[in-house]
Amino acid sequence: MNEKKFLSYFLKDKNLENNSLVISPTGSGKTHFIFNELIRKGRYLYLCDNENLKTVIEEKERTFSNRKEIEGFDDFSVEVMCYKQFGRKVLYDNSIINQYEAIVCDEIHNLIDYQTFNNDVELSHAIKELFKKYDATKIIYFTATPYYLKVLEENYPALAEILDVIDFSKNKDIRRYINKREAYINHFSQIQFQLDEYKQSFEYANLKCLIFTREIHAMKKLEKMCIDRNLKPICIWSRNNQVIEMNLEQLRVRDYLLKNGSLPEPYNVLIINRALETGVNITDKDMNLAIVNTTNLTQQIQVRGRIRHDIDLLVVRTKEQKLPYIKIDLDEKYLDIELTKNEVEEIVVSLNLKNKKNQYVTVTKFLDILQKHKYKVQTKRKTANYIKSTYYIISEN
């Protein structure tokens, strides 16, 4: 089994050109590469999409906070800003750009998404100034989801001429977070069935769950849905929301989550919206279920990326009226070897694959599901000591 490599491995000897766009899956070590490989001597500006990510970077990486007065820079200096603040600074004077060795634009897709959604003047100026070539300053962009950049290119064809795209999204050798299973919903109400399926895991195995939905009123409905099932949910949205403000307990949990990467007791369900779509890194090993109530592929990828490890199940919303089969991503240790029926049944149990009667699916059904996706199954029969045995060999198509 080939060991997956981090982004730094692929870019360690590469000199990123000006206006390079690096597309790298969540879990590939993008932040580590930025602050340990890309940023060297000189003065740098790191741009991100929200206050949560800004706070995390300022606390965990070697930076100068833009809230503090900076009197001088050493050989390794990084200033951190959100895109909106940067747009405000360059609104009438873009000369500050020339002060930096390079500008690193993280989660660049959200700059375009937020501007498109709000038609924000400051974000419009950020886009205008960042998608240019400068003689003295390199601009490097990072994203796991390039969809909105493609939209921007369609509106501004000349953009394609300046971008040097380095795409690792389909690279099989790069590290990424794995979902052992993927399932689908096409209506908000179906979330309750996913919660019910994992009832025993919540009660006896300390399971925790992340749920994403866009609107606060939907978050509160989800909160009630969880409480009705004796779960312990908490909703976290933007601390800057002055219309519906978070209470002191929500603020406490938000700060704990950003600092520690885990959901504190007694909570086992974290309900978020776009305010925490990026910027929070959940390392809590009990967080093994993620439910994403949106059909937006970019948001699905970003929300899944908040959990910084492989998980048992990812549930996403689809526009299809007929729900597709669940998607399964098998561990490579099960591939291209002879498996007995009992060993296949153990895989079914580990994936928690059950039918409508809450019974584990049969081996025949499981193998049928695999073959509807990216796997092929070969059956072998052997005779030893007059005893016939059946073996299954699963491989990728």
Side-chain angles (χ1 to χ4, degrees):
M1 183 172 65
N2 294 330
E3 184 179 355
K4 304 300 182 184
K5 305 291 196 305
F6 286 99
L7 180 64
S8 295
Y9 173 85
F10 297 96
L11 295 179
K12 61 184 177 182
D13 297 322
K14 186 174 181 63
N15 181 29
L16 293 180
E17 300 293 333
N18 193 7
N19 302 105
S20 289
L21 167 62
V22 180
I23 303 170
S24 184
T26 54
S28 60
K30 170 172 57 71
T31 303
H32 176 87
F33 169 75
I34 290 172
F35 285 95
N36 293 274
E37 303 289 341
L38 177 61
I39 292 176
R40 299 189 183 277
K41 288 187 177 182
R43 182 176 178 180
Y44 289 79
L45 176 63
Y46 173 90
L47 296 176
C48 56
D49 57 337
N50 64 48
E51 280 288 329
N52 293 324
L53 181 52
K54 179 175 179 291
T55 299
V56 170
I57 292 296
E58 286 178 337
E59 289 181 353
K60 295 188 177 181
E61 305 295 342
R62 188 181 175 196
T63 64
F64 285 97
S65 169
N66 64 322
R67 297 191 184 98
K68 301 172 184 175
E69 183 179 351
I70 302 171
E71 296 180 353
F73 285 80
D74 60 12
D75 287 342
F76 183 96
S77 304
V78 187
E79 191 173 358
V80 183
M81 281 185 210
C82 292
Y83 287 115
K84 189 171 179 66
Q85 181 185 358
F86 173 80
R88 193 180 308 129
K89 283 182 175 288
V90 299
L91 192 59
Y92 301 108
D93 181 12
N94 68 357
S95 62
I96 68 163
I97 292 173
N98 297 319
Q99 300 173 15
Y100 301 100
E101 183 85 14
I103 298 177
V104 178
C105 303
D106 203 359
E107 310 291 0
I108 187 64
H109 59 277
N110 271 341
L111 167 60
I112 299 155
D113 185 22
Y114 293 161
Q115 192 282 326
T116 303
F117 182 77
N118 296 318
N119 196 24
D120 186 280
V121 172
E122 291 163 342
L123 295 180
S124 294
H125 278 272
I127 291 174
K128 176 184 174 184
E129 298 302 333
L130 289 172
F131 288 101
K132 286 182 179 179
K133 279 191 176 293
Y134 295 91
D135 294 332
T137 303
K138 271 189 181 182
I139 301 184
I140 312 294
Y141 320 94
F142 289 87
T143 184
T145 51
Y147 169 75
Y148 291 105
L149 289 162
K150 293 177 181 177
V151 172
L152 192 63
E153 282 186 5
E154 290 174 3
N155 295 330
Y156 303 95
L159 185 61
E161 298 178 8
I162 72 165
L163 287 180
D164 178 24
V165 179
I166 306 169
D167 189 354
F168 294 102
S169 60
K170 297 181 180 179
N171 188 313
K172 291 186 177 182
D173 296 320
I174 197 167
R175 194 183 186 286
R176 67 185 73 219
Y177 297 129
I178 300 299
N179 314 311
K180 295 178 183 177
R181 290 192 295 146
E182 291 183 15
Y184 304 89
I185 57 174
N186 53 22
H187 191 271
F188 180 91
S189 62
Q190 293 166 345
I191 294 174
Q192 62 189 314
F193 303 123
Q194 300 294 337
L195 297 174
D196 290 341
E197 180 183 344
Y198 276 84
K199 180 179 179 181
Q200 290 187 335
S201 296
F202 280 114
E203 289 181 358
Y204 305 115
N206 299 319
L207 176 70
K208 294 179 183 178
C209 173
L210 173 68
I211 306 179
F212 170 89
T213 195
R214 291 175 65 105
E215 297 86 11
I216 292 178
H217 73 85
M219 296 173 73
K220 292 187 174 182
K221 286 183 179 179
L222 284 168
E223 184 178 39
K224 183 178 186 305
M225 184 187 294
C226 292
I227 291 172
D228 289 344
R229 285 161 175 76
N230 295 318
L231 300 175
K232 295 178 173 58
I234 188 161
C235 299
I236 305 292
W237 54 81
S238 174
R239 68 177 181 182
N240 296 323
N241 190 322
Q242 296 179 347
V243 178
I244 308 176
E245 294 183 343
M246 288 193 290
N247 60 34
L248 291 177
E249 176 63 4
Q250 287 173 297
L251 291 170
R252 181 190 75 83
V253 171
R254 172 196 174 275
D255 292 343
Y256 184 93
L257 186 66
L258 290 176
K259 183 177 181 180
N260 300 286
S262 60
L263 191 60
E265 297 290 345
Y267 304 106
N268 56 13
V269 179
L270 174 63
I271 304 170
I272 65 171
N273 63 2
R274 295 207 65 183
L276 267 74
E277 178 189 312
T278 59
V280 58
N281 296 324
I282 302 172
T283 55
D284 193 328
K285 293 301 182 183
D286 291 328
M287 191 78 72
N288 267 302
L289 171 61
I291 302 173
V292 188
N293 182 43
T294 177
T295 59
N296 184 300
L297 178 60
T298 295
Q299 291 171 18
Q300 290 174 0
I301 293 171
Q302 290 299 318
V303 173
R304 166 59 186 94
R306 295 313 92 220
I307 304 177
R308 314 301 281 185
H309 55 76
D310 299 346
I311 63 173
D312 289 338
L313 176 63
L314 171 67
V315 182
V316 297
R317 186 160 178 166
T318 177
K319 293 179 181 178
E320 297 179 35
Q321 291 303 307
K322 182 180 179 181
L323 292 179
Y325 281 99
I326 60 173
K327 179 182 175 184
I328 294 173
D329 206 331
L330 287 181
D331 192 307
E332 289 184 358
K333 69 183 180 182
Y334 298 124
L335 301 182
D336 302 313
I337 62 171
E338 293 182 350
L339 298 168
T340 65
K341 181 180 179 181
N342 287 341
E343 288 171 331
V344 176
E345 288 175 341
E346 288 175 4
I347 297 174
V348 172
V349 173
S350 71
L351 293 173
N352 199 36
L353 280 175
K354 295 182 179 180
N355 57 25
K356 292 181 179 179
K357 296 180 180 179
N358 204 34
Q359 300 168 332
Y360 289 113
V361 299
T362 64
V363 167
T364 301
K365 179 64 175 177
F366 174 60
L367 297 177
D368 181 57
I369 293 171
L370 289 181
Q371 292 178 99
K372 283 182 167 64
H373 288 90
K374 63 179 182 178
Y375 298 101
K376 60 182 179 182
V377 180
Q378 180 183 357
T379 303
K380 275 190 174 183
R381 292 179 174 84
K382 293 183 178 181
T383 301
N385 299 322
Y386 305 101
I387 298 175
K388 292 182 178 181
S389 300
T390 301
Y391 296 89
Y392 306 94
I393 302 172
I394 304 169
S395 55
E396 289 188 324
N397 285 322

